[in-house]
Amino acid sequence: TYTTDSKSKEENKKTIESLYKLSVDVKKIRRLKEWVLLRDVAYVKEIAGILQEMGADETTVANILERCPEAVLHTPAEVNSQRALWQLVCQNEKQLIKLIEQFPESFFTTKYHENQKANILFFQELGLKNNIITRFLTSAPNIFHNPVKKNKSVIETLQKNYLSLGGSDANMKIWILKLLSQNPFILLHTSTTIQENLEFLQKNNFTDSEVLQLLSKLKGFIFQLTPTTMEKSMFFSKNIFKCSDEELKELVLKCPALLYYSVPVLEERFEGLLKEGISVAQIRETPMVLELTTQIVQYRIKKLSALGYDVKSGNLESLNGTKKDFEANYGKIQSKKERPIFNPVAPLHIED
């Protein structure tokens, strides 16, 4: 928000004294954002006072100002406006101060105040819960910088496409809210990008219901791609698997990562698997394994090998899934191995 130009080349002694009184590590600010200390006007006491009013203790105030020293360059009026705005979606000031401590940069970006306000109200009207909106404010603040008109246009494009792809009116709201909560960054794209990517899939013989399926599976990340990158990734997979267009389509539906990851990423993951002695045929059988990084695959193979389980000879299902899925699978294999084999019809050898 601020330029590194400063009106004077000397540090503002009043700012530094005020920060010291609040037990703020001035050396840290000097090292990371010294330009703040060079400004002629700063509102250290006032901003600290507002934070204390909200329930922040001395340590919390110091922590916030160390992480985001530019907070003191905002006027108390700007910060109070931002406070009132965030209170629209926070349960109470205790939750608000906790969010400010975790994400001070997001809170102290007051430049887009009017857009932020209009977007918060728009998201509430749309039916997004306040806890989701607060997550957006902290983890995806850029979407609030857009004029509300732009965000509305993207949502309308998504709604229109959802219906034209065979989605029902009854499910549309749930679908949009789920998509947004999974990936709010969709709103940083233009309506044109969304349209082009969907048309690319249709041109590649994905049926309407399959396109919808991909949209849901990819959690909207498909809009971060371009027709060119998707084409390159599909061409690479087709060559590796030596398959027809129809077979490739089935593989993509099974594992959207084949569409999502760039060629260098797919190449690296294929090579990593082949180095472990896994065949292309095995990968084709379980393509979801390409969703894992090479390091994760190596770690999982090592763990399974220690139990005597050879992934080269079996299927790759045991490597798949989230960390939780893998641990559950690993636990089953481990308990199977530890369980003694008991044959109920074998004769018992009892010594006389």
Side-chain angles (χ1 to χ4, degrees):
T1 315
Y2 302 95
T3 60
T4 47
D5 306 342
S6 45
K7 289 174 188 169
S8 63
K9 292 291 170 196
E10 278 185 24
E11 289 183 350
N12 184 328
K13 286 190 179 121
K14 194 180 167 192
T15 301
I16 288 168
E17 277 168 26
S18 302
L19 288 168
Y20 272 130
K21 278 180 190 168
L22 292 163
S23 308
V24 173
D25 184 347
V26 176
K27 280 183 190 170
K28 192 176 176 182
I29 296 175
R30 211 171 260 139
R31 196 171 67 247
L32 300 172
K33 292 182 180 178
E34 195 195 14
W35 55 272
V36 172
L37 304 174
L38 304 176
R39 288 301 178 91
D40 288 343
V41 180
Y43 303 91
V44 183
K45 286 177 190 168
E46 293 87 341
I47 302 310
I50 293 170
L51 293 170
Q52 284 159 348
E53 251 177 56
M54 284 191 262
D57 58 21
E58 192 184 324
T59 313
T60 304
V61 170
N63 189 18
I64 291 169
L65 298 184
E66 277 167 25
R67 284 191 55 198
C68 183
E70 58 269 39
V72 304
L73 302 178
H74 290 291
T75 66
E78 285 172 333
V79 174
N80 274 322
S81 295
Q82 200 70 342
R83 173 185 179 179
L85 185 62
W86 281 46
Q87 277 175 326
L88 293 173
V89 287
C90 284
Q91 292 166 354
N92 47 43
E93 294 214 310
K94 190 182 174 186
Q95 187 201 6
L96 176 54
I97 204 71
K98 200 176 171 186
L99 286 174
I100 297 171
E101 189 177 12
Q102 287 176 298
F103 308 94
E105 288 87 358
S106 300
F107 179 78
F108 288 105
T109 302
T110 61
K111 191 179 170 186
Y112 305 94
H113 186 81
E114 287 311 310
N115 283 356
Q116 284 183 28
K117 188 174 184 176
N119 278 307
I120 285 175
L121 298 173
F122 167 59
F123 291 142
Q124 286 177 328
E125 278 167 33
L126 203 60
L128 277 170
K129 292 193 167 71
N130 282 343
N131 62 329
I132 302 286
I133 301 173
T134 53
R135 186 160 56 90
F136 289 179
L137 276 168
T138 53
S139 60
N142 290 6
I143 67 171
F144 292 88
H145 302 174
N146 288 338
V148 73
K149 195 178 167 186
K150 195 257 175 199
N151 285 342
K152 274 183 179 173
S153 160
V154 172
I155 296 293
E156 280 162 14
T157 303
L158 286 168
Q159 289 170 330
K160 192 179 78 189
N161 279 293
Y162 178 76
L163 294 173
S164 72
L165 291 167
S168 70
D169 257 321
N171 292 332
M172 185 173 68
K173 188 180 175 182
I174 296 164
W175 183 79
I176 288 281
L177 295 181
K178 190 178 178 186
L179 201 62
L180 265 183
S181 58
Q182 287 172 330
N183 181 16
F185 298 103
I186 294 170
L187 295 169
L188 296 180
H189 302 288
T190 63
S191 304
T192 317
T193 310
I194 292 171
Q195 206 65 51
E196 282 171 358
N197 286 0
L198 295 177
E199 280 168 14
F200 168 81
L201 294 173
Q202 287 169 316
K203 278 176 196 162
N204 278 273
N205 301 321
F206 285 93
T207 65
D208 289 354
S209 64
E210 285 167 348
V211 174
L212 261 189
Q213 193 185 322
L214 277 174
L215 281 184
S216 302
K217 273 192 175 181
L218 278 167
K219 299 173 183 172
F221 288 109
I222 196 162
F223 303 127
Q224 284 163 231
L225 309 172
T226 66
T228 313
T229 56
M230 288 191 278
E231 195 161 24
K232 283 179 181 170
S233 297
M234 284 173 77
F235 184 71
F236 171 79
S237 300
K238 192 180 175 182
N239 280 345
I240 284 273
F241 291 124
K242 294 181 174 53
C243 59
S244 67
D245 288 345
E246 191 54 39
E247 287 167 330
L248 177 64
K249 196 178 87 162
E250 291 309 315
L251 284 167
V252 168
L253 288 168
K254 214 172 174 184
C255 174
L258 293 173
L259 196 67
Y260 179 68
Y261 290 121
S262 64
V263 172
V265 171
L266 289 171
E267 220 162 10
E268 187 215 335
R269 293 188 181 186
F270 262 106
E271 278 168 22
L273 289 162
L274 297 175
K275 270 182 196 166
E276 295 294 333
I278 289 162
S279 68
V280 173
Q282 281 177 293
I283 302 170
R284 185 171 169 169
E285 195 60 41
T286 317
M288 292 79 76
V289 77
L290 291 164
E291 291 170 3
L292 306 169
T293 65
T294 304
Q295 291 77 7
I296 291 172
V297 167
Q298 286 168 342
Y299 166 77
R300 291 182 181 185
I301 287 174
K302 205 173 173 183
K303 276 196 87 169
L304 290 168
S305 298
L307 292 179
Y309 185 91
D310 184 13
V311 287
K312 284 174 273 186
S313 58
N315 69 31
L316 304 180
E317 287 296 337
S318 48
L319 283 180
N320 260 349
T322 60
K323 187 181 179 185
K324 197 177 170 186
D325 296 334
F326 174 73
E327 294 300 339
N329 244 328
Y330 176 79
K332 281 177 196 168
I333 295 168
Q334 194 176 30
S335 59
K336 219 181 242 180
K337 190 175 181 286
E338 288 168 359
R339 202 181 298 133
I341 296 163
F342 172 66
N343 184 348
V345 293
L348 291 175
H349 298 288
I350 301 167
E351 287 180 22
D352 293 334

